[in-house]
Amino acid sequence: MSVATPLRIVLPPAAGRDPFFDNAKFLAITLVVSGHLIEDLRDVPVAHAAYFYVYTFHMPLFIVLSGYLSRNFTFSSGKARKLISTLAVPYVIFELLYSLPRLVLYGKLDISLLDPYYLTWFLMSLFLWRLSTPVWQQLRWPLVVAVGLSLLSGMSRLPDELSMNRTLGLLPFYVLGLMLRPEHFEWLRRRWVRVAGAVTLAAGAALAFVLHTHVKTEWIRWRHANDAIGVDDLTGSLIRLGILAAGALLVAAFLAVTPARRTLYTGLGAATMYAYLLHGLVVKVAERFYGDWAQTVPGVAAVAFLGVGLAALLCTAPIRRATHWAVEPDMSWAFTRLRRPA
């Protein structure tokens, strides 16, 4: 998929933004979009292996970055209003929008605002994580507590409402982001760490190609309890702990190789929520047109490459202008002056 110059691929830099984080966010969203596009092609071994590898760390990466950028969240009126306008309202809008493809393609209309559908779970979970931020900032060992909650959540069949399995299972990555400081990212930019990061990513990819048929993909999707995946709680806790560690290691490696300077795609990193929320509509339609051509190694590579182009396209200025009402709705009309008790 080519993107023409008039689409203004490079967006103007926002004042005070660090290009490192925008680069990381854009590269991460390309993994998300490509991963979703090849999900329906997992009968091809290379697609299944790539899916397993990417899913081990692509959402943990987004969650770590979200945690880091949420360090200053408080319950002040401005922060609370932004939480509503950037997460709560878009969640409702896209829950409704994603019900339409289900109705057209499958003849099923099922709307539940408490049970997130498809990729809207991230908005629900991020809303809850961000609300909990002040609590984590006051604990002495927040990451230990978060890991403990993640392991405990795997021992119970939690309801799908509020995306509880993913919210608690992936919680350590958000708390890890909260605990990070600028000096940690500076450390990742050292030359030897960047080399080690590249080696780690390559080794992780090779290992994924060896193990992808031996590890159930449900472990990296964080949707079910241990017994639902077919293991006891001790085994499940050890596996979950290993996946948390693997995810954190690959996130660090990915961030280590992320460019810190401005690049051609830096401006797109400021609009990754557009690509995240909109690409699912394209994926659900595109899957209907996969033919025999896609069930081959070149076909999988082509689909993954198209995912990169789609991610870039959905972050461009024209798409942002056309969909701003849904992704970043102006909710100023709904708020009044802060009411305080007399």
Side-chain angles (χ1 to χ4, degrees):
M1 180 181 295
S2 62
V3 183
T5 301
L7 289 176
R8 293 168 59 194
I9 285 296
V10 180
L11 302 178
R17 296 188 70 95
D18 186 338
F20 171 77
F21 294 105
D22 283 337
N23 291 339
K25 287 164 60 180
F26 176 73
L27 293 174
I29 197 62
T30 63
L31 294 178
V32 173
V33 177
S34 294
H36 278 149
L37 279 172
I38 68 171
E39 183 174 5
D40 210 39
L41 302 175
R42 283 179 291 161
D43 288 340
V44 183
V46 68
H48 191 279
Y51 177 88
F52 180 82
Y53 176 58
V54 168
Y55 267 64
T56 303
F57 72 95
H58 74 331
M59 286 312 296
L61 173 60
F62 256 121
I63 295 167
V64 168
L65 293 173
S66 297
Y68 179 77
L69 298 174
S70 299
R71 291 171 302 150
N72 296 323
F73 178 81
T74 64
F75 290 117
S76 64
S77 59
K79 299 286 187 180
R81 293 179 183 191
K82 187 175 181 181
L83 190 65
I84 293 171
S85 61
T86 61
L87 292 178
V89 175
Y91 170 77
V92 174
I93 291 173
F94 279 91
E95 271 291 297
L96 296 174
L97 286 177
Y98 275 108
S99 69
L100 299 180
R102 276 188 293 177
L103 178 62
V104 174
L105 297 176
Y106 310 112
K108 180 181 179 181
L109 181 62
D110 184 12
I111 300 174
S112 174
L113 293 182
L114 295 181
D115 183 5
Y117 173 67
Y118 196 31
L119 49 74
T120 58
W121 70 266
F122 180 63
L123 295 181
M124 172 68 78
S125 295
L126 184 55
F127 182 88
L128 297 173
W129 290 329
R130 198 161 282 171
L131 280 179
S132 70
T133 297
V135 174
W136 299 110
Q137 299 285 31
Q138 297 182 56
L139 294 179
R140 187 180 298 274
W141 301 290
L143 192 55
V144 174
V145 174
V147 170
L149 288 175
S150 178
L151 298 181
L152 287 173
S153 70
M155 300 179 187
S156 304
R157 292 206 175 196
L158 300 175
D160 292 331
E161 283 75 13
L162 302 181
S163 188
M164 291 305 297
N165 289 287
R166 282 167 167 155
T167 299
L168 291 176
L170 291 163
L171 175 63
F173 294 112
Y174 182 78
V175 176
L176 174 61
L178 288 177
M179 299 301 103
L180 294 176
R181 296 293 178 264
E183 53 267 28
H184 295 132
F185 293 98
E186 290 295 332
W187 183 80
L188 287 176
R189 297 174 190 177
R190 296 180 180 181
R191 182 175 179 81
W192 73 268
V193 177
R194 296 181 64 187
V195 172
V199 172
T200 299
L201 289 176
L207 193 60
F209 273 76
V210 173
L211 297 177
H212 72 98
T213 58
H214 303 287
V215 181
K216 294 182 179 178
T217 54
E218 283 303 328
W219 287 113
I220 56 173
R221 299 178 75 175
W222 301 91
R223 300 188 305 176
H224 298 298
N226 299 326
D227 64 338
I229 305 179
V231 298
D232 60 83
D233 285 337
L234 177 59
T235 302
S237 296
L238 292 175
I239 293 174
R240 181 170 289 225
L241 192 61
I243 292 175
L244 285 171
L249 179 62
L250 290 172
V251 166
F254 188 91
L255 292 174
V257 301
T258 298
R261 64 187 185 283
R262 286 199 60 80
T263 65
L264 291 175
Y265 52 82
T266 299
L268 299 175
T272 51
M273 189 58 78
Y274 285 81
Y276 181 80
L277 291 175
L278 295 171
H279 83 274
L281 298 171
V282 180
V283 170
K284 288 300 181 183
V285 175
E287 289 175 344
R288 308 288 291 186
F289 297 96
Y290 288 161
D292 293 339
W293 66 271
Q295 303 290 335
T296 63
V297 173
V300 171
V303 170
F305 181 75
L306 287 174
V308 177
L310 177 60
L313 176 64
L314 294 177
C315 291
T316 57
I319 299 298
R320 293 177 71 181
R321 287 195 295 268
T323 60
H324 190 275
W325 63 272
V327 181
E328 294 181 294
D330 180 6
M331 298 300 299
S332 58
W333 57 270
F335 300 117
T336 185
R337 294 177 59 186
L338 185 63
R339 300 186 183 97
R340 297 185 183 278

